Amino acid sequence: MTKEEKRLDRLNELLFALPVDNMPMTLSELDGYVTGVLACPEMIPPSEWLPEVWGETGDAQFPDQKAAEETIGAVMEHYNSVAGTMTRSLWIEPIYEVDPNSDETLWEPWVDGFTRAMRLRPEAWENLLDLADDETRATMIFMMALQDIYTGNSKFTDDEIDEIDLEAPDLIPNCVATILHQSRPELAGAVPANRSSKPHKATLRPGRNDPCSCGSDRKYKLCCGRH
């Protein structure tokens, strides 16, 4: 295991240790979220975006100062890592969750994180959409369409959604690069490398109202998610 893989695994563990009832971000959601924060045309300070990582209340409920320092430090380290990647090249490598049973790449949490970041500065993104060229405008609309698929609000047919589902993991890095050309023009001189997006296998966190994986037939939040 490489140093980078160890770093991501530890970050995943720290996020997983946060109170599940508060719905903190998973590693994939966080990766999409910090990418969206960094891609925003306006600078967003950590004091504004960090609380969203901890969950619905914005309160991480750290058990002690040591846990707080390590978790915040790990999140900021990942933020800086993504920022460094953007500085070197517009081509980012999203961290996708992978279904351990089917080995299916799950792009939805990453997109959810990215669009949550967009909601921090809606006017900035709306202005960008108005001023963007046709390619960037279509790309931004596509990213929002992916979120609609995730939330069940898509107007695409089932067959179209199935096709998009297969292509989305490879399309997302290209979408981000296209957006960055417009939203972060100071980075536009970097030429994206031709890389493949190999997902980091982050641990899946069951949804709060999903059936518990232990087989108890109870909701996760009322079973193993309580511990």
Side-chain angles (χ1 to χ4, degrees), residues 191-216:
V191 179
N194 184 19
R195 305 181 191 173
S196 60
S197 53
K198 182 179 180 181
H200 176 80
K201 294 191 175 183
T203 302
L204 288 174
R205 184 199 300 273
R208 185 166 55 175
N209 293 307
D210 289 345
C212 191
S213 59
C214 73
S216 66

Side-chain angles (χ1 to χ4, degrees), residues 88-101:
R88 292 188 298 272
S89 168
L90 299 185
W91 191 265
I92 54 96
E93 296 185 5
I95 297 174
Y96 299 126
E97 292 179 359
V98 176
D99 189 319
N101 297 315

